[in-house]
Amino acid sequence: MNILTLPNEGRGSFRVEYQGIPIDRMIVDFMEKESIPGMTLAIVQAPYIPRIVGYGVSNAQTGQLASAKTIWPAAQISQAFNAVAVMQLFERGRLKLESPVSQWLDSLPQAWRAITVFELLQHASGIADYRDSAGFDAQKAYEPAELVKMVAKTPLAFEPGTDVKLSATNFLLLAQIVEKAAGQSYHDFVTENQIRYLGLRRTMFREDFPKLDNEKITLENPRHSLFTKEGRFIDPAEPAAGTRLIPDGLVATSPFLSGTLKGFADIWASAEDISTWDIALAGSILIEKPENRALIYKPTVLASGKVVPAMAGWQFQHHRGLMDIKGTVPGYSAFLSRFTDPNELVCVTLMCNREGVDLSNLARRIASAFGKKLASGVDDELFYTQESVFDVAESVLRLRGALKKMGIPVFATFDHGKNAEEAGMSMAPAVVTVFGSPSVGTKLMQANPAICLELPLKIAVWEDAEGSVWVTAPRLDLVAGRYQMQSHPIIPDMQKLLEKLVGIAANLY
């Protein structure tokens, strides 16, 4: 007789927790801390999607629930749909990646005309981002020509092909090129060759909302009732309503006109559909040839020869097969990470209705619940950590640059790897940067002098045995509890600063 045993960790385990904390608690704590009304989580363990969970409300005013079917803006994840469209046309021989944009689009500034399709994909054009233009409003409807006009006279940030800087203008131009090469609208080409092709029933553009067969819910009539009469109204797929955080609290945002961010942040989808589409990225379903998939799913090489750990909105960390894409738009934030190594195949999708939220740390802790090898190795209850796409030296350089820009003095730098070498020993690179503002820290120490043990602030950048590079800061909001100072008004601002600095040091975009 073959006696069966149940897995107690890793793939197939029903114990979904990390460092003894269930992922439901992680999410609830995170939502409370960040004032997020609603969120949907989807987990892929390819080819399965074993977990899709909604938390809270998709509309904080009407009380509609976040569910597996809730439709959220995919934010900058939309770039990846655009990149797939470009590669599909490339494989069909209808578009050359080395072709200049002037071959496809008229009336462009002279400085843009020689920029190639591939440089747009790389975000290596140097073209300014129209979102940074004075007067731009993401909740206003624009024609593509109006957006191009906003930045047409802005000098290129660098010579094309020599550097990378995220720009929504790059992917607006790509969407227009897709239309020219495909002979149909960008909306129709993406819908036909990705959305409908994969059977994604809850992925669409905003202009498709009228096709949703949902009951009309308003502030005056917030109760569902038609589900008691017609089965098609059971478990509705409803678009979420956005929010933003202001000093006085959470406020609803105006409707987000995602068409303004054409080709860059214009897709709406359920977390389940994003996960289905994500699985389809892995093989030849959407892009046939592996060498073509490698062009957009691996670090890119610029014309200058520089290797950049990013491509088409994706970022690539040192952990084998790890890539992520994330972003925020008015009212919403979204995140997708993919651990594509055959021994892992874990992907995390998080979508929520509060703008300006960095979901990276939460997503990594959730992924770690599905495999210990995905974890940072530090206590995530005490430290805020992100894996960097850069090496230690570059991460530290980015951190110091951010501190200088913010006018925050650096008091000391401890290069433990160098110190080990001078002692005749060896260890992986590890650097601690000590910094802070005396005027801010003094206020804390006036309230409780013992907190001087935690000051000045510190951020560590270190490389582990597997070659992953981590940027880590203490969770000051938790540490403050040791000093009965968790309610001090300065603590949340300092914690936000630490998390912002970690994000800058670890990410290209």
Side-chain angles (χ1 to χ4, degrees):
M1 180 182 294
N2 184 19
I3 304 299
L4 302 178
T5 58
L6 298 176
N8 58 15
E9 63 179 48
R11 192 174 176 96
S13 172
F14 48 73
R15 186 181 296 278
V16 188
E17 59 183 30
Y18 172 55
Q19 295 182 343
I21 301 173
I23 61 174
D24 286 331
R25 181 184 146 192
M26 293 181 205
I27 291 173
V28 169
D29 289 348
F30 184 84
M31 291 176 69
E32 287 181 342
K33 176 190 171 190
E34 298 290 342
S35 299
I36 298 172
M39 177 182 289
T40 303
L41 160 72
I43 296 292
V44 167
Q45 290 187 285
Y48 305 99
I49 308 176
R51 188 177 181 94
I52 310 166
V53 191
Y55 302 85
V57 291
S58 65
N59 188 318
Q61 293 180 293
T62 63
Q64 291 161 268
L65 300 185
S67 75
K69 290 186 177 180
T70 297
I71 298 171
W72 313 84
Q76 282 82 342
I77 297 173
S78 304
Q79 294 175 90
F81 284 79
N82 197 345
V84 168
V86 169
M87 297 308 295
Q88 288 175 331
L89 288 166
F90 170 68
E91 289 195 328
R92 296 171 193 181
R94 299 169 73 173
L95 176 62
K96 293 182 179 179
L97 300 181
E98 67 272 18
S99 63
V101 294
S102 58
Q103 179 181 326
W104 298 100
L105 304 176
D106 300 322
S107 305
L108 294 177
Q110 184 62 37
W112 299 13
R113 296 179 64 80
I115 292 169
T116 67
V117 170
F118 195 60
E119 286 168 340
L120 294 177
L121 277 171
Q122 292 174 307
H123 282 296
S125 70
I127 296 174
D129 190 334
Y130 60 75
R131 295 176 300 163
D132 297 330
S133 299
F136 172 75
D137 183 356
Q139 291 162 322
K140 177 182 175 182
Y142 296 95
E143 291 298 322
E146 294 179 276
L147 297 172
V148 169
K149 186 177 179 180
M150 287 182 181
V151 294
K153 294 182 180 180
T154 304
L156 296 179
F158 47 81
E159 182 181 347
T162 63
D163 206 349
V164 165
K165 185 177 181 182
L166 189 74
S167 172
T169 313
N170 291 328
F171 274 65
L172 171 65
L173 297 176
L174 282 174
Q176 294 178 284
I177 291 171
V178 166
E179 292 180 327
K180 295 281 188 177
Q184 61 186 133
S185 70
Y186 178 75
H187 168 284
D188 289 351
F189 186 79
V190 171
T191 299
E192 178 182 330
N193 293 280
Q194 294 182 65
I195 298 172
R196 194 177 300 138
Y197 180 68
L198 294 175
L200 305 178
R201 297 174 57 195
R202 289 171 290 278
T203 302
M204 62 195 66
F205 295 85
R206 199 177 197 283
E207 55 262 43
D208 298 322
F209 281 8
K211 298 177 184 177
L212 289 170
D213 194 13
N214 288 330
E215 185 173 359
K216 188 173 179 60
I217 300 297
T218 65
L219 292 176
E220 294 74 27
N221 181 30
R223 286 187 175 274
H224 294 82
S225 60
L226 295 181
F227 71 94
T228 64
K229 304 171 185 177
E230 297 185 60
R232 61 196 175 99
F233 292 110
I234 295 174
D235 198 14
E238 298 170 325
T243 66
R244 62 188 175 92
L245 195 60
I246 62 173
D248 294 332
L250 201 66
V251 297
T253 58
S254 301
F256 169 50
L257 301 178
S258 51
T260 291
L261 298 171
K262 182 175 181 177
F264 181 74
D266 54 352
I267 295 288
W268 288 68
S270 69
E272 179 179 20
D273 270 14
I274 289 292
S275 296
T276 302
W277 169 82
D278 158 64
I279 295 171
L281 299 181
S284 60
I285 295 174
L286 292 177
I287 300 174
E288 181 180 351
K289 297 181 179 179
E291 61 267 30
N292 293 336
R293 296 195 294 275
L295 287 175
I296 56 174
Y297 300 142
K298 289 186 177 180
T300 193
V301 181
L302 303 182
S304 63
K306 179 180 178 180
V307 178
V308 177
M311 178 62 176
W314 292 101
Q315 295 191 120
F316 307 94
Q317 292 81 5
H318 297 278
H319 183 101
R320 62 186 182 280
L322 173 58
M323 55 196 287
D324 69 33
I325 188 166
K326 57 191 171 187
T328 183
V329 292
Y332 310 86
S333 300
F335 180 94
L336 169 62
S337 62
R338 309 178 69 226
F339 294 83
T340 63
D341 185 270
N343 294 316
E344 293 170 349
L345 298 179
V346 174
C347 305
V348 179
T349 300
L350 288 167
M351 310 180 87
C352 73
N353 54 354
R354 212 216 88 190
E355 67 183 73
V357 180
D358 188 344
L359 297 160
S360 306
N361 177 266
L362 174 63
R364 189 57 176 265
R365 287 186 287 141
I366 291 170
S368 300
F370 293 85
K372 289 183 178 179
K373 293 182 179 180
L374 311 185
S376 64
V378 302
D379 187 339
D380 281 290
E381 284 295 285
L382 297 178
F383 301 99
Y384 179 86
T385 302
Q386 287 191 30
E387 184 173 351
S388 179
V389 301
F390 305 105
D391 60 18
V392 170
E394 181 67 18
S395 300
V396 172
L397 190 65
R398 290 176 64 83
L399 171 61
R400 291 181 68 95
L403 289 168
K404 183 177 180 180
K405 188 174 182 179
M406 295 177 187
I408 300 174
V410 173
F411 300 131
T413 300
F414 299 98
D415 187 335
H416 294 295
K418 182 179 178 180
N419 292 342
E421 183 179 350
E422 291 175 352
M425 305 171 69
S426 64
M427 62 172 284
V431 177
V432 177
T433 301
V434 183
F435 59 93
S437 170
S439 63
V440 175
T442 299
K443 291 179 181 178
L444 290 178
M445 290 183 284
Q446 286 173 336
N448 187 341
I451 203 170
C452 68
L453 289 167
E454 315 296 338
L455 300 174
L457 299 175
K458 306 171 187 67
I459 289 180
V461 184
W462 48 282
E463 181 181 317
D464 67 17
E466 302 299 322
S468 288
V469 174
W470 303 91
V471 185
T472 301
R475 289 191 181 273
L476 195 63
D477 51 347
L478 299 180
V479 171
R482 300 175 187 168
Y483 305 92
Q484 291 76 50
M485 296 182 64
Q486 58 269 39
S487 60
H488 195 288
I490 292 178
I491 296 296
D493 291 338
M494 294 182 77
Q495 183 61 34
K496 286 294 182 186
L497 172 65
L498 287 170
E499 293 180 10
K500 181 178 181 179
L501 289 168
V502 167
I504 291 172
N507 296 276
L508 175 61
Y509 299 139

